[in-house]
Amino acid sequence: MAANMKVKERVAKKQTLCGALMLIEALKAENVKVIFGYPGGAVLPIYDKLYESGVFHVLTRHEQGAIHAAEGYARISGKPGVVIATSGPGATNIVTGLTDAMMDSIPLVVFTGQVASSVIGSDAFQEADVLGITMPITKHSYQVRDVHELPKIIKEAFHIATTGRPGPVLIDIPKDMAVAEAEFDYEQDVQLPGYQPTTKPNHLQIRKLVEAVSQAKRPVILAGAGVLHANAHEQLKQYAEQQHIPVIHTLLGLGGFPADHPLFLGMAGMHGTYTANMALYECDLLINVGARFDDRVTGNLAHFAPKATVAHIDIDPAEIGKNVPTKIPIVGDAKEALIQLIEQNGKRPDVSDWLKQLNEWKREYPLMYKREPGVLKPQRLIEMIHEYTNGEAVVTTDVGQHQMWVAQYYKFKQPHRWVTSGGLGTMGFGLPAAIGAQLAQPEATVVSIVGDGGFQMTLQELSVIQELNLPIKIVIVNNQALGMVRQWQEIFYEKRYSHSLIPNQPDFVRLAEAYGMKAMRATTEEEAEYVLKEALATNAPVLLDFHVCPGENVYPMVAPGKGLHEMVGVKW
Ligand SMILES: Cc1ncc(C[n+]2csc(CCOP(=O)(O)OP(=O)(O)O)c2C)c(N)n1
Ligand SMILES: [Mg+2]
């Protein structure tokens, strides 16, 4: 009977459909709950079929908003984000988001409209060479030349976006392909002989690492976003506890290991903790799990982990040995590798002296800032948000000083709560990303912490938040400046503040009110406490404009070109 049903379903799925309907049926087959997009001429046939399709489509107010929202959705749900944009300017407006997703390994399936096949290459109205433009910023891309191919292409796109090292896949659909008809069969297997990511790590390499751990005196784990992509946070904790190995996170890895765990040393890199950076400098065994040795993490490579044997677990073999010479390469899924390591239950290293040293550093050089009466310090603001949300909110940020303060002071205890633009550092990311994050987790408290600069790059998405009544709490860390630029100019350019101070920002409260949104301002700690508590108790969107101390800098800091051990601003 069940087999019979299956045959019937298969027959039903083999109906003849136009390209636009194929797209919609494929989205349903992929169990896609929401898509983000913006219509236009080349995608009108698709939008016409969307009209009564039952697919939940969020009309953002700019295509950049759509793709960052899809990224936020993917980062929180672990499922691919889906975007649709029209040809020409619609497609070029998603270029930043594609690059962002590519850099941070975010699974996306992005559909762009294209001019009709017959006029491609003629500079037709709203024609852009989207394949050419996006080739280096997508994991893979397609242009549909024959509608018969469309089901296979979509199926492959979802497969490629979500397997191995995740990433964005683009499908460019000429207008006539959305109208043309063919048989729709989505039940086929994906056959890609040239694309077979290795997930099972090599057993011998695992043995080598077990041996190296048993000999180590000062081992440390550097855990990146790969731990989160692989859902390996439980295994990371189990392994670290089993072997007594302290853990450091990259910016994107935060939440993969509980920040309040005694073995946690904090974030590494340019604005990392003293303990994390010194541990990387002094360690004799560095186990990288799913991080890519980004330059913001390593500092000057000549001084990076100079005393260490390096082991690197990564699903993408191209990352291993790319920046840092690696003695023990382990290609595979982080979870599989950690499970194997736990099962090996190797001889525990003697780390008592090492842990003593690390704990001394933690005590001696904690993150610090000065509180002053009547002034709202941005670090204090983040601590308050942490406290009032019990460290359990989903937090999105923009890029700049506020982003670093969130990374330092919002002590993430759980995975999949942290949404930030790491590799590309995209201002304007935080607000639209919060839309996707809230849709992925409707019950979660979502706080979008943005800079007064970055907020103005995508603030049109307030309209979407209000329209969908998403209860996002928007926190503007308003320092009347492009703060991170101002900080670099203060330190490296003799306080020549070239185009980084913005003393006449708009009235963000009235701006939010123009969108119909509740909004409040705070300039002191007392006011901040009041408005935060009030906003968090409100089941609707609220914008909060916090006027923080404008001259505050992010410390500690590793200056560009310096080694991690040369950080400044660790003590008064
Ligand atoms: C799209 C984009 N343009 C420029 C930059 C360079 N940049 C990095 S941080 C920063 C300042 C951001 O200012 P704001 O949003 O107010 O955040 P703050 O640093 O003040 O917290 C700038 C301009 C960037 N990261 N992204
Ligand atoms: Mg600012």
Side-chain angles (χ1 to χ4, degrees):
M1 183 69 185
N4 226 342
M5 283 289 289
K6 210 145 189 209
V7 172
K8 264 195 199 156
E9 272 172 34
R10 251 183 89 82
V11 172
K13 288 221 168 89
K14 273 202 170 179
Q15 55 198 313
T16 298
L17 296 178
C18 68
L21 280 174
M22 285 184 184
L23 191 161
I24 286 161
E25 286 306 312
L27 293 182
K28 289 180 179 169
E30 293 290 346
N31 203 15
V32 171
K33 299 281 184 238
V34 54
I35 66 174
F36 304 89
Y38 208 99
V43 285
L44 274 175
I46 299 173
Y47 270 80
D48 186 60
K49 297 300 180 203
L50 269 176
Y51 192 47
E52 286 169 332
S53 66
V55 171
F56 179 35
H57 172 280
V58 174
L59 175 72
T60 53
R61 301 308 192 251
H62 188 296
E63 289 87 352
Q64 185 182 1
I67 193 159
H68 291 328
E71 286 187 87
Y73 180 84
R75 287 178 200 231
I76 291 302
S77 68
K79 293 195 260 178
V82 178
V83 178
I84 177 162
T86 195
S87 67
T92 54
N93 271 349
I94 59 167
V95 166
T96 301
L98 283 172
T99 318
D100 195 88
M102 188 69 180
M103 291 282 268
D104 288 353
S105 310
I106 307 303
L108 297 182
V109 175
V110 178
F111 298 94
T112 48
Q114 182 54 276
V115 299
S117 311
S118 56
V119 293
I120 287 180
S122 73
D123 290 338
F125 178 62
Q126 295 194 326
E127 180 179 8
D129 176 8
V130 175
L131 237 52
I133 292 168
T134 62
M135 192 79 76
I137 51 169
T138 48
K139 185 172 172 186
H140 195 61
S141 54
Y142 298 89
Q143 188 172 63
V144 183
R145 304 271 165 84
D146 176 349
V147 72
H148 291 88
E149 300 266 294
L150 188 54
K152 180 171 159 283
I153 288 175
I154 300 178
K155 187 126 200 177
E156 284 179 10
F158 275 93
H159 177 74
I160 294 170
T162 53
T163 51
R165 178 179 183 170
V169 179
L170 183 134
I171 305 175
D172 198 37
I173 308 180
K175 192 169 182 177
D176 51 312
M177 290 295 132
V179 180
E181 295 187 343
E183 188 178 83
F184 178 71
D185 178 8
Y186 206 68
E187 299 267 302
Q188 41 194 307
D189 293 329
V190 173
Q191 310 248 350
L192 293 167
Y195 175 73
Q196 305 282 345
T198 304
T199 54
K200 288 245 178 291
N202 180 302
H203 191 66
L204 288 175
Q205 295 302 100
I206 294 280
R207 286 287 321 155
K208 270 192 205 161
L209 178 52
V210 170
E211 180 58 26
V213 169
S214 72
Q215 310 270 319
K217 295 263 176 300
R218 299 183 309 278
V220 78
I221 293 171
L222 174 67
V227 169
L228 299 169
H229 289 306
N231 256 316
H233 48 279
E234 284 294 339
Q235 288 72 21
L236 174 65
K237 184 157 164 276
Q238 237 177 302
Y239 179 62
E241 287 175 349
Q242 183 197 62
Q243 296 294 318
H244 279 190
I245 306 179
V247 177
I248 295 169
H249 265 316
T250 65
L251 174 72
L252 287 178
L254 291 172
F257 193 77
D260 54 1
H261 196 288
L263 284 171
F264 187 58
L265 307 182
M267 181 175 77
M270 184 168 274
H271 294 295
T273 63
Y274 180 87
T275 311
N277 283 344
M278 286 309 291
L280 285 169
Y281 189 71
E282 292 293 342
C283 66
D284 65 352
L285 175 64
L286 169 54
I287 307 169
N288 175 338
V289 188
R292 61 183 174 83
F293 286 131
D294 172 67
D295 58 275
R296 282 292 194 269
V297 168
T298 62
N300 187 333
L301 282 169
H303 303 295
F304 181 69
K307 307 170 189 183
T309 298
V310 175
H312 189 168
I313 300 168
D314 208 300
I315 191 105
D316 182 357
E319 286 300 345
I320 299 180
K322 186 179 86 177
N323 295 336
V324 174
T326 301
K327 186 104 175 274
I328 309 173
I330 300 178
V331 180
D333 178 77
K335 190 177 197 161
E336 301 257 1
L338 287 165
I339 288 173
Q340 282 199 24
L341 287 166
I342 295 162
E343 280 172 1
Q344 292 280 318
N345 198 9
K347 183 175 155 276
R348 235 185 217 185
D350 177 7
V351 291
S352 43
D353 287 349
W354 180 226
L355 292 186
K356 213 170 116 214
Q357 168 72 83
L358 294 170
N359 285 328
E360 225 171 273
W361 283 336
K362 274 195 206 176
R363 255 194 323 275
E364 187 79 3
Y365 303 100
L367 288 171
M368 54 170 189
Y369 64 94
K370 271 194 185 130
R371 276 167 85 174
E372 287 163 37
V375 176
L376 179 57
K377 286 293 177 101
Q379 300 93 329
R380 177 68 198 140
L381 173 65
I382 308 303
E383 282 180 339
M384 289 164 93
I385 298 172
H386 177 263
E387 191 184 326
Y388 304 153
T389 58
N390 197 24
E392 287 169 355
V394 166
V395 181
T396 77
T397 71
D398 247 68
V399 170
Q401 290 184 310
H402 65 281
Q403 177 193 32
M404 292 299 118
W405 286 318
V406 177
Q408 291 178 334
Y409 291 94
Y410 197 97
K411 312 280 183 192
F412 290 92
K413 289 183 289 197
Q414 291 145 319
H416 310 299
R417 296 283 199 281
W418 169 229
V419 182
T420 200
S421 165
L424 195 62
T426 307
M427 284 172 73
F429 174 85
L431 188 72
I435 296 173
Q438 185 77 78
L439 288 168
Q441 267 198 34
E443 301 306 318
T445 300
V446 176
V447 184
S448 182
I449 303 178
V450 296
D452 48 323
F455 172 65
Q456 294 185 71
M457 287 200 173
T458 50
L459 70 83
Q460 73 283 346
E461 305 307 339
L462 286 177
S463 191
V464 177
I465 294 172
Q466 187 61 16
E467 179 186 313
L468 299 179
N469 194 27
L470 300 174
I472 297 166
K473 308 301 173 257
I474 302 153
V475 168
I476 302 181
V477 181
N478 188 346
N479 53 9
Q480 315 264 310
L482 305 175
M484 192 53 98
V485 173
R486 193 204 57 71
Q487 172 167 346
W488 281 52
Q489 289 171 337
E490 178 184 332
I491 301 173
F492 306 118
Y493 293 89
E494 299 165 347
K495 301 191 179 175
R496 288 158 55 81
Y497 297 124
S498 180
H499 303 280
S500 60
L501 305 181
I502 314 177
N504 48 357
Q505 294 286 27
D507 182 335
F508 292 123
V509 170
R510 283 173 61 204
L511 182 80
E513 285 168 356
Y515 282 92
M517 196 175 283
K518 178 171 170 160
M520 291 176 280
R521 175 173 299 117
T523 57
T524 62
E525 270 190 36
E526 294 70 30
E527 287 173 6
E529 179 180 343
Y530 174 81
V531 300
L532 273 172
K533 286 186 172 164
E534 167 108 5
L536 288 166
T538 308
N539 191 24
V542 183
L543 181 143
L544 300 172
D545 179 23
F546 291 100
H547 283 225
V548 299
C549 178
E552 200 67 17
N553 286 339
V554 185
Y555 288 117
M557 180 174 189
V558 178
K562 298 285 185 188
L564 292 184
H565 63 301
E566 297 173 291
M567 79 207 97
V568 296
V570 290
K571 274 247 182 222
W572 297 118

